[in-house]
Amino acid sequence: MSKRCTVCDKGPTTGHNVSHSNVHTKRRWMPNLQNVRAVIKPGLVRKIKICTSCLKAGKVTRAV
């Protein structure tokens, strides 16, 4: 299962957890992906994974 947005290709980013004693451990930030039934072309509806920022920006029209 890929953690990528099909519209903007946003994926996980990496960094560090930093404790009070300044110990660095690796961590990942996952994008907020939603499974959405979307209209790809007129008359063509598919289920895609899309991040909430693309959904809010209106880059995809949801199918009803």
Side-chain angles (χ1 to χ4, degrees), residues 25-58:
T25 56
K26 295 200 174 217
R27 66 158 294 179
R28 292 175 80 187
W29 285 272
M30 296 295 181
N32 189 0
L33 296 179
Q34 304 294 318
N35 287 320
V36 172
R37 287 180 68 240
V39 178
I40 308 299
K41 296 180 201 170
L44 181 64
V45 175
R46 291 278 187 261
K47 273 189 173 179
I48 59 172
K49 287 183 183 171
I50 184 169
C51 65
T52 53
S53 56
C54 288
L55 196 59
K56 190 175 181 180

